[in-house]
Amino acid sequence: MEGDAFSAFAITALRLAGHLTAAGDQLAKPAGQTSARWQVLAAARRGNISVAQIARALGLARQGVQRLTDVLEGEGLIAYADNPQHQRAKLVRLTEEGSARLGVIEIAQAGWADGLGAAFTSAELDAARAVMARVMEMLEAGEAPGG
């Protein structure tokens, strides 16, 4: 039954998310960061992005991202800038130190991803990503029946 197969898929995805977060924490640790901080630093690299935009992009609560950006700003890894579009919603920018820390993490992540990626074909990974993307789109659009 499709419902049973989807439930097994969802459970596997949740378990994978936990493993990926733990691996991300390990990759970010030498730079003094966590997975969550890493995600915010990577988003801030874009420049001219608000806390609310970062939260939407990461699928996180704005308040949680605000707490992280405040801590990262206190550590000198990001800086706030005035937002010409919205007086109260400051823009988040990566500092030189933030960029350096992000670089350390991304070098480690590239080697880690190459090692794991070698166990799969590009087609396998693309197919898995496509299924996950479709599920996310359906959930974000509220298309799940009975939801």
Side-chain angles (χ1 to χ4, degrees):
M1 182 172 228
E2 288 83 3
D4 292 338
F6 185 83
S7 292
F9 168 83
I11 290 166
T12 302
L14 290 169
R15 290 184 61 212
L16 175 60
H19 285 291
L20 290 174
T21 298
D25 286 343
Q26 286 300 316
L27 290 166
K29 191 174 185 177
Q33 302 305 306
T34 63
S35 288
R37 289 165 157 240
W38 171 12
Q39 289 179 63
V40 172
L41 289 172
R45 176 177 42 211
R46 286 182 41 202
N48 297 325
I49 188 169
S50 69
V51 168
Q53 289 170 315
I54 292 172
R56 275 193 297 278
L58 299 177
L60 300 172
R62 189 200 57 76
Q63 295 85 347
V65 174
Q66 185 67 63
R67 282 192 293 276
L68 282 172
T69 56
D70 287 346
V71 169
L72 292 167
E73 194 249 355
E75 294 176 3
L77 302 180
I78 61 117
Y80 291 118
D82 287 333
N83 183 346
Q85 307 298 320
H86 194 289
Q87 203 168 7
R88 287 183 26 231
K90 299 284 188 199
L91 298 176
V92 178
R93 295 199 175 124
L94 204 55
T95 64
E96 265 187 59
E97 180 62 22
S99 183
R101 300 265 188 108
L102 186 57
V104 167
I105 297 167
E106 289 178 337
I107 289 168
Q109 189 275 341
W112 175 83
D114 286 346
L116 278 174
F120 304 92
T121 67
S122 292
E124 286 175 312
L125 294 171
D126 288 344
R129 184 201 45 76
V131 169
M132 292 190 305
R134 278 183 50 209
V135 170
M136 284 190 301
E137 287 169 11
M138 290 175 72
L139 293 174
E140 288 167 358
E143 293 177 18

